[in-house]
């Protein structure tokens, strides 16, 4: 197998501040893997055998509740870590990661996370920063579920998606990966029917534009007003 080039990771925030030799050491322990759209990178409660960095593609992270309900926790975009169960003291994955499109990832044995964190302090610090940010995001989502109306939750979800991975188009800011109305329902703890009704109403008002597995936010500011509950949007 040919050696991986350090340029694959040298520009990523996770490896910020690391020397070239250290990057080479980390890459020497990695495997490059491909996952086709619709396949699982890892599954909830499976033994956390590896941790990963997404190089190309998009991954949806889903959690199944004890009642069997599937909730979309987040989307992973290129350059991000995933499967870092060891960093939160787990031996199994807390969620399932599904390739939304064809993906390329770097994978390391799960046991190497603690070695890397000890040997490369900036890697450990950047990992914990990622964990902290995701915990904050999860708490914000929990608060939204408990306190916000469905309309506000869906507006917040769309704003999060375009902030994370928005692409400017002539029509507005498009979510830059395939996303369905069912996916949005699973992100916001509501039903497909409710999301469809809301998005159809917003399309009629010119806030968003939809398509098959596509969403474009035409009026981000108006959507922000809706998300904050400052206006009904009518």
């Amino acid at each position: 197998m040919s050696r991986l080039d350090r340029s694959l990771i040298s520009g990523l925030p996770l490896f910020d501040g690391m020397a070239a030799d250290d990057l080479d050491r980390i890459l020497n322990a990695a495997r490059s893997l491909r996952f086709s759209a619709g396949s699982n990178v890892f599954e909830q409660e499976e033994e956390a055998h590896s941790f990963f960095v997404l190089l190309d593609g998009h991954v949806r992270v889903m959690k199944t509740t004890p009642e069997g309900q599937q909730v979309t926790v987040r989307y992973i975009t290129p350059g991000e870590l995933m499967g870092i169960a060891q960093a939160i003291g787990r031996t199994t994955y807390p969620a399932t990661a599904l390739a939304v499109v064809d993906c390329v990832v770097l994978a390391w044995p799960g046991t190497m996370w603690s070695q890397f964190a000890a040997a490369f302090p900036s890697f450990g610090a950047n990992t914990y920063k990622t964990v902290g940010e995701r915990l904050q995001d999860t708490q914000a989502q929990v608060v939204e579920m408990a306190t916000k109306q469905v309309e506000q939750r869906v507006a917040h979800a769309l704003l999060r998606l375009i902030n994370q991975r928005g692409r400017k188009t002539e029509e507005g800011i498009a979510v830059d990966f395939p996303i369905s109305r069912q996916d949005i329902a699973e992100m916001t703890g509501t039903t497909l029917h409710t999301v469809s009704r809301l998005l159809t109403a917003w399309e009629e008002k010119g806030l968003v534009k939809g398509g098959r597995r596509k969403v474009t936010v035409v009026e981000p500011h108006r959507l922000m007003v809706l998300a904050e509950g400052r206006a009904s949007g009518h």
Side-chain angles (χ1 to χ4, degrees):
M1 182 178 137
S2 60
R3 282 184 57 169
L4 298 166
D5 191 276
R6 79 171 73 105
S7 64
L8 283 171
I9 62 171
S10 60
L12 304 181
L14 175 65
F15 302 101
D16 215 18
M18 293 186 66
D21 287 352
D22 292 342
L23 293 175
D24 287 341
R25 278 177 63 192
I26 282 178
L27 270 179
N28 286 343
R31 290 175 301 143
S32 176
L33 303 173
R34 292 178 180 275
F35 291 90
S36 56
S39 62
N40 286 341
V41 181
F42 53 83
E43 293 185 40
Q44 186 171 330
E45 299 308 332
E46 175 188 10
E47 183 193 346
H49 50 77
S50 305
F51 65 93
F52 310 85
V53 168
L54 181 64
L55 290 182
D56 189 44
H58 292 281
V59 168
R60 179 157 62 111
V61 180
M62 303 167 298
K63 201 168 176 63
T64 303
T65 67
E67 298 75 38
Q69 185 186 358
Q70 196 164 279
V71 178
T72 296
V73 182
R74 72 177 59 260
Y75 283 86
I76 303 288
T77 58
E80 288 192 82
L81 261 177
M82 56 184 172
I84 41 171
Q86 292 78 10
I88 54 172
R90 287 186 60 121
T91 56
T92 58
Y93 295 116
T96 295
L98 174 88
V100 177
V101 295
D102 292 347
C103 293
V104 179
V105 305
L106 291 178
W108 290 267
T111 51
M112 296 199 81
W113 182 81
S114 56
Q115 294 174 35
F116 285 176
F120 313 116
S122 63
F123 175 84
N126 289 338
T127 304
Y128 283 124
K129 185 179 172 203
T130 298
V131 170
E133 287 169 353
R134 288 182 186 171
L135 281 173
Q136 282 183 313
D137 285 349
T138 302
Q139 284 175 332
Q141 277 180 294
V142 169
V143 170
E144 277 174 28
M145 296 272 196
T147 62
K148 304 281 187 189
Q149 300 293 325
V150 170
E151 187 175 51
Q152 290 174 279
R153 297 205 303 262
V154 174
H156 269 292
L158 289 181
L159 289 169
R160 262 200 301 271
L161 287 168
I162 61 169
N163 282 336
Q164 184 186 22
R165 201 68 186 177
R167 176 173 49 85
K168 286 191 176 177
T169 68
E170 289 181 4
E171 294 172 328
I173 306 173
V175 177
D176 199 19
F177 52 87
I179 185 160
S180 68
R181 291 181 171 193
Q182 180 63 41
D183 296 336
I184 296 168
E186 289 175 8
M187 284 180 76
T188 53
T190 186
T191 63
L192 173 60
H193 172 75
T194 301
V195 169
S196 294
R197 183 173 51 78
L198 265 178
L199 291 183
T200 300
W202 290 350
E203 281 188 55
E204 287 170 359
K205 293 173 192 151
L207 270 72
V208 301
K209 193 171 174 62
R212 190 176 179 279
R213 301 195 74 200
K214 287 198 306 192
V215 181
T216 299
V217 176
V218 181
E219 295 268 11
H221 178 71
R222 284 174 68 195
L223 201 63
M224 209 174 292
V225 169
L226 262 184
E228 296 307 319
R230 296 200 299 267
S232 67
H234 296 298

